[in-house]
Structures are given as C-alpha cells and as structure tokens.
Amino acid sequence: GKWAYVEQGGTKTERTVDTASLTSQSTFLKTAQGDRLAITLSYTRTEQEDTNYARIQGNAANGYKNTLGAATERSSGSNSKAFGAVAYPFRTDSGSQGAFRKWIAPIGFVYNFSENTQQPSTGTQNPLLDGTEPPTTHSQTKDFALRYSIPGGQAYFEVRHYQTDQIDNPAGFGSAGDITGLWTNLGYTDPKLTTTTQGSGFAYSDPNSRRLEGWEAQLTANPTRNITLSINYSHPISYIVKESEDRKAYVAAHRGEWEAAAKLPQGYVFPDGRVLQNPTQIQTDINDIDNSLSGLTGGTLENGRERHRINANARYSFREGTFRGLGLVAGVQYRGHQKAG
C-alpha cells in the first residue's frame, strides 16, 4: 500500500496581507558625547483578506480548495502610528567638565507611543448581537522611562512605566447555554433562541477590552569582563475596561420576562400558546447568569495575574583559552500572588 492524503472535515483559511510602512528617524542637538535628542515617527497601513474554506470528508478530497458550500470571506484594513523620543539633556560639547556634570550626562529620558491592529485570524467569527461584523482588535501602548548608563559600561539602569489598552479582543457571548435554556423553558421553539448553532442559532461575539499597566526596573552590572549580573523587577496590573457589554444589555432587556415566568406554575399556557416548561430551572439559569457577570465591572482588576515578578541571573563568560566563547548562566525567578475572585 501507499500513503494517501484524506480530508477529515474542518476548515482551511487562505489569508492575504498587504502592508505599507513609512518611517522617519531624526537626531538633533549633536554634542561631543552624542545626540541630545532622537525622534522616530512611523505610519503603517495594512490590508487583509481572509477566505475560509470548508473541507469535505472522504477519499475524494484531493485539492486545497476542495470545498463544501460557499467560502466565507472577510476583509479588513487598519492604520497605525508610532512615535518615539529619546533625550539626553545633560550631554555637553565641553571637553573639560566637572565631576557632577560627568555623572549626570548619561541620564536619559524615553517616551514611546504605538498603535497596533490585530487582523482577523479567521473568516468565520460570529457576528455581534445586532448582526454586524465584529471590529478588529487594536491596541495602544504608551511608556516612558528614565535610564542611566555608567561610563565605561560598568552598569546600566532603567525604570519604566507602561500602559497598554487592548481594545475589542475577540470573545464569545457568555452564558449562551443559560440563555437558550431560559427561552426553551419559556416554551419558545425558534432555533435562533433555543440553540447555539453557528449561523442559525444564538451564536454571537461580545468583544472585551483590557488595560495592562505597571512599572519595570532593570539593573545590569559588569563588575569584570567575565561577569554580568542582571536583576529585573516588574509590577504589572491588568484591568477590565469592557466586558460582556452586549450580554449585560441583553439580560437587562429580558430579565423582566424571565423573572415573571419563574414565578408561574409549571405548565402555564401563555396567551400565544407557549407552555411553560420548568420555572425552577429558569430561576437557576438567572442566578447562574448573575454569578457569571459579577466582578466584571470596568476598572476591576483581572483575575489570574501576578502583582510582582522578579528575575535575577548571573553570567560568566570565558573570554580566552580553551573555553573561549563558552558562557555559564544561573538565575532565579519569583512570581507573586495572583488575584482570584
């Protein structure tokens, strides 16, 4: 016998990405010790097309686009900007400078701003509750830092504050099983209310947004040519900015009908002929939805994130002799407590 390629169902995605970028870098206020100011600007335009092909099963599947039904296509485009500045205001042209001036000259200030758009990974993402296409995920990052390098490369220190807003992350519509269960027990039979089948049932996207911010400090020292010591401390905090906004609105819009049905006797016949199935389960589903939404208020710290991280390591490098080029590294890591609930 011989090996044969056989499709087993699923999907294939064909993706085309076109990107154009323009970058400008400039330096100003030159001195004998280096430039006092450096600025970088960039602009990027990205266009992407995703085509999702459904596979068919069986030995007849022998081509990349051997598809069942129509392909699903999705196009998106984005613009992103970035800006960066590095300043060393204490650098001087003077060849003879006092001790104080000598030691403050390496102080530098850094500021960066950047945008980034994450293009869709598939052409079959569920629509929003109103039937429109979900927005593409995008982010904005800002950071500023103070850095200092001891002349001669003996030590380097930097402390940095950063803030990243991750906007419209892909996410499914939460509590879909509870919601379809509610409509089923209310006697509805429309698949759009009682099933979670993609394309024909209660299957929607409900994007969320997060903010990650914090402080980082790093110290690197080279006490000798062979030894390098490094320690890094970070204090990251992740906030919920937006979570399940469509679900909250949907639950608020229909809560009155659900709660009223939970108080009726089983078998109750509604004016339109629907029959109430299980009022006890209706109340259980309402409680489950409320529990899943608790703690999702904007500004709440996200669960599962460490508040403190420390990395420290030491490296010994052989600069000469038989073992020249060989390095030995030892290090430790510390991860602080995580928020849970």
Side-chain angles (χ1 to χ4, degrees):
K2 63 179 182 178
W3 291 101
Y5 178 76
V6 179
E7 297 281 8
Q8 295 294 319
T11 60
K12 289 181 177 179
T13 300
E14 182 181 79
R15 180 175 298 112
T16 302
V17 181
D18 295 313
T19 300
S21 181
L22 178 64
T23 301
S24 173
Q25 295 179 319
S26 303
T27 58
F28 305 90
L29 306 174
K30 295 182 181 297
T31 72
Q33 295 177 320
D35 301 314
R36 287 185 178 178
L37 179 64
I39 293 178
T40 302
L41 301 170
S42 71
Y43 174 84
T44 302
R45 175 65 185 178
T46 302
E47 298 280 351
Q48 177 165 312
E49 294 183 357
D50 291 287
T51 305
N52 195 68
Y53 300 97
R55 290 173 173 170
I56 61 176
Q57 298 182 10
N59 295 330
N62 56 10
Y64 178 73
K65 296 181 181 179
N66 190 9
T67 63
L68 175 67
T72 302
E73 297 183 354
R74 183 179 183 184
S75 300
S76 62
S78 63
N79 302 314
S80 58
K81 302 178 290 295
F83 167 80
V86 181
Y88 287 89
F90 305 111
R91 286 178 172 175
T92 178
D93 275 321
S94 175
S96 59
Q97 52 183 336
F100 177 73
R101 190 78 178 185
K102 175 183 178 181
W103 288 103
I104 67 170
I107 296 177
F109 301 90
V110 182
Y111 176 79
N112 292 296
F113 170 84
S114 63
E115 297 177 319
N116 181 54
T117 299
Q118 178 182 324
Q119 302 301 323
S121 59
T122 175
T124 59
Q125 189 175 353
N126 288 328
L128 299 176
L129 189 60
D130 61 6
T132 59
E133 190 174 88
T136 53
T137 302
H138 59 285
S139 64
Q140 291 185 347
T141 298
K142 294 179 288 186
D143 68 78
F144 60 87
L146 172 68
R147 60 175 55 163
Y148 185 84
S149 178
I150 295 178
Q154 291 182 330
Y156 172 85
F157 174 76
E158 180 178 273
V159 59
R160 179 181 300 270
H161 179 270
Y162 58 87
Q163 175 182 305
T164 298
D165 291 324
Q166 193 81 18
I167 304 166
D168 291 327
N169 301 300
F173 201 99
S175 304
D178 291 316
I179 292 171
T180 55
L182 284 164
W183 294 128
T184 298
N185 281 306
L186 276 159
Y188 288 93
T189 58
D190 185 350
K192 292 182 178 180
L193 297 176
T194 61
T195 72
T196 56
T197 304
Q198 187 177 32
S200 61
F202 194 89
Y204 301 101
S205 293
D206 195 0
N208 62 54
S209 299
R210 295 288 187 269
R211 171 174 293 173
L212 177 64
E213 65 176 295
W215 290 90
E216 283 188 351
Q218 179 166 331
L219 174 63
T220 300
N222 299 287
T224 71
R225 292 181 62 249
N226 304 87
I227 299 174
T228 299
L229 305 175
S230 178
I231 184 169
N232 174 276
Y233 168 78
S234 62
H235 178 58
I237 303 175
S238 181
Y239 295 96
I240 294 173
V241 177
K242 183 181 74 171
E243 177 69 49
S244 298
E245 295 301 315
D246 285 352
R247 177 164 50 134
K248 293 174 184 176
Y250 187 88
V251 170
H254 297 285
R255 177 181 290 275
E257 181 179 0
W258 298 341
E259 290 181 341
K263 299 175 183 178
L264 297 174
Q266 186 171 356
Y268 175 83
V269 180
F270 294 96
D272 59 2
R274 288 179 292 110
V275 178
L276 183 64
Q277 302 297 313
N278 189 338
T280 301
Q281 185 60 45
I282 288 176
Q283 186 59 58
T284 299
D285 289 338
I286 294 173
N287 294 340
D288 289 343
I289 293 172
D290 289 342
N291 289 335
S292 70
L293 288 173
S294 64
L296 297 183
T297 306
T300 303
L301 292 177
E302 189 177 14
N303 290 331
R305 299 280 188 170
E306 300 95 350
R307 300 294 302 279
H308 305 279
R309 301 175 186 171
I310 299 176
N311 297 295
N313 65 74
R315 178 185 180 92
Y316 184 88
S317 301
F318 293 89
R319 303 286 185 179
E320 55 191 20
T322 304
F323 298 105
R324 182 180 179 180
L326 178 65
L328 302 176
V329 180
V332 295
Q333 292 185 345
Y334 168 79
R335 296 292 184 268
H337 61 274
Q338 297 182 352
K339 176 181 179 291

